[in-house]
Amino acid sequence: MRVLGVDPGLTRCGVGVVEGVAGRPLTMLGVGVVRTPADAELGHRLVAVEQGIEEWLDTYRPEVVAVERVFSQHNVSTVMGTAQASAVAMLCAARRGIPVALHTPSEVKAAVTGSGRADKAQVGAMVTRLLRLDAPPRPADAADALALAICHIWRAPAQNRLQQAVALHASKGRTR
């Protein structure tokens, strides 16, 4: 499975592509950050994020796009920017018919480090170890994007089985 992980943000949108299957060594295919100037007009920033994500989709042809689920913070402007960048990533994937998976920050941290309360340094260290890299990807947004992709690869098989079980249960309830 090839997954593009997206750590959404308007100033720095982390992107990373990981390939592999659960239970086997994973391979990083690419990692980076789509940057926009903080003083640019919002519309131009969103277009820049879109163009950056489209380039990653063209280059790596992922099967799935894993995006960090926006969560509530005290800083409303940060949440808005994150949500807008997240929506751009989902739109780019949907336009191409690529499935999108959303994962919470604590879910990603737990999948990669074993603790949903891990800090950025712990996530970066585990991403480095899991992907057999020489050093943690910088900035942290890039490491977070790889962590999202890893999380999805590891959790997708269980989530798919759960969805199938729910669908089967629902269909049995309709036939009664």
Side-chain angles (χ1 to χ4, degrees):
M1 175 185 309
R2 182 176 291 189
V3 180
L4 170 64
V6 179
D7 181 37
L10 274 181
T11 304
R12 290 183 321 272
C13 182
V15 286
V17 181
V18 176
E19 189 168 66
V21 295
R24 304 254 186 213
L26 303 173
T27 303
M28 179 189 77
L29 301 181
V31 65
V33 177
V34 176
R35 296 179 187 271
T36 70
D39 60 350
E41 188 179 304
L42 176 61
H44 295 294
R45 294 177 82 186
L46 293 172
V47 168
V49 170
E50 178 201 23
Q51 291 170 340
I53 290 173
E54 289 289 350
E55 286 179 26
W56 280 80
L57 293 172
D58 286 342
T59 301
Y60 292 100
R61 306 263 183 228
E63 299 165 59
V64 178
V65 174
V67 180
E68 183 177 272
R69 183 183 300 272
V70 178
F71 64 101
S72 178
Q73 291 179 336
H74 298 295
N75 186 342
V76 174
S77 64
T78 301
V79 171
M80 289 302 296
T82 302
Q84 290 161 335
S86 177
V88 168
M90 290 186 278
L91 174 69
C92 291
R95 187 184 293 142
R96 294 170 181 244
I98 301 171
V100 174
L102 299 174
H103 298 282
T104 65
S106 59
E107 179 184 356
V108 173
K109 292 173 186 179
V112 174
T113 70
S115 169
R117 294 179 177 224
D119 62 22
K120 295 247 183 222
Q122 290 170 305
V123 172
M126 284 306 295
V127 164
T128 302
R129 185 173 177 198
L130 293 167
L131 296 174
R132 301 168 312 283
L133 306 176
D134 294 332
R138 297 280 177 232
D141 310 271
D144 290 348
L146 291 171
L148 275 151
I150 293 167
C151 173
H152 185 75
I153 289 170
W154 285 354
R155 294 194 170 209
Q159 289 172 336
N160 290 342
R161 285 192 301 273
L162 220 89
Q163 288 171 347
Q164 290 170 353
V166 168
L168 180 65
H169 181 72
S171 69
K172 287 183 180 179
R174 285 189 293 247
T175 59
R176 290 182 183 169

